[in-house]
Amino acid sequence: MKPGYGKSKGGSFEREICKKLSLWVSANTRDDIFWRSAMSGGRASVKFKKGEQNLTQQGDISAIDPGGHFFIEKFIVECKFYKNLYLENLIFNTSKNGVISFWNTLIKLTAASNKIPFLVAKQNHKNPILLTSLEVRRILKYYNYKDIAVGNFSEMVIYDFERFLSVVDPIIFTKES
């Protein structure tokens, strides 16, 4: 990729994830329920640094239709598309770069707002993955989903993003479990 095209790649990835999440929560009837947050979540970050909260535009994705409010009320969605996510750092704990850095930042945001992290990450030439908390694994087990995780670490579970969307019924996240 040419230098300077990273923002374009990231924005395109965010739009793709918005459409996929929209189709997921609407049972494949609508692709316009979610869209990119103002300043890609930066508006909420600015308020957070001032000690204030913007609960509707945290993270990279917001619900622009009431059909997605239940999801955004429970999760902060971040999207990352990088040449190298340094996924091996999850196993070898050799660095805090890449996906670990993104995860740690998201954990701080979710802790402050009492939400669940939902990090969709893609590395060049790889399928997107979903990193989320053990809380999601607990919810899925409560509803008798087979274990669809591809990795389980001390504070996170990793799923193949496409498989997660094809297997998990989003309605379970509307219920208190």
Side-chain angles (χ1 to χ4, degrees):
M1 173 179 296
K2 294 180 185 178
Y5 284 88
K7 283 190 183 262
S8 170
K9 180 169 86 169
S12 177
F13 183 60
E14 288 175 5
R15 287 186 290 277
E16 175 188 338
I17 298 305
C18 288
K19 288 181 181 182
K20 287 181 180 194
L21 288 174
S22 294
L23 290 166
W24 179 56
V25 302
S26 70
N28 289 318
T29 61
R30 296 191 44 207
D31 68 357
D32 62 348
I33 293 173
F34 298 103
W35 204 244
R36 298 174 66 204
S37 296
M39 297 169 40
S40 207
R43 189 166 176 223
S45 296
V46 169
K47 289 187 105 164
F48 180 72
K49 288 176 185 174
K50 292 179 181 178
E52 302 170 8
Q53 284 194 335
N54 180 339
L55 297 176
T56 60
Q57 293 188 332
Q58 294 174 314
D60 291 332
I61 294 178
S62 298
I64 59 171
D65 182 271
H69 289 173
F70 77 93
F71 188 75
I72 295 301
E73 288 171 359
K74 194 162 282 226
F75 294 91
I76 295 179
V77 182
E78 282 286 320
C79 302
K80 302 295 179 193
F81 186 174
Y82 278 76
K83 179 180 179 180
N84 189 343
L85 291 170
Y86 299 100
L87 293 169
E88 67 276 5
N89 292 343
L90 291 169
I91 298 167
F92 299 113
N93 199 23
T94 54
S95 172
K96 300 293 181 198
N97 292 332
V99 74
I100 292 177
S101 174
F102 304 139
W103 176 258
N104 289 337
T105 301
L106 183 54
I107 288 298
K108 288 176 190 168
L109 284 174
T110 57
S113 60
N114 201 27
K115 291 188 178 185
I116 300 171
F118 196 92
L119 173 60
V120 184
K122 180 170 173 45
Q123 183 171 297
N124 284 1
H125 313 293
K126 305 287 183 201
N127 292 332
I129 58 173
L130 166 62
L131 295 88
T132 190
S133 72
L134 294 174
E135 174 70 7
V136 170
R137 178 177 229 162
R138 186 188 66 73
I139 292 168
L140 294 180
K141 286 191 180 293
Y142 180 81
Y143 286 97
N144 295 319
Y145 282 95
K146 293 181 193 174
D147 192 1
I148 60 171
V150 294
N152 183 18
F153 299 90
S154 63
E155 295 181 17
M156 77 172 76
V157 183
I158 302 175
Y159 298 97
D160 176 282
F161 181 64
E162 300 292 340
R163 182 151 190 254
F164 182 89
L165 296 183
S166 70
V167 171
V168 175
D169 184 350
I171 198 72
I172 67 171
F173 298 114
T174 65
K175 299 177 173 77
E176 290 300 317
S177 48

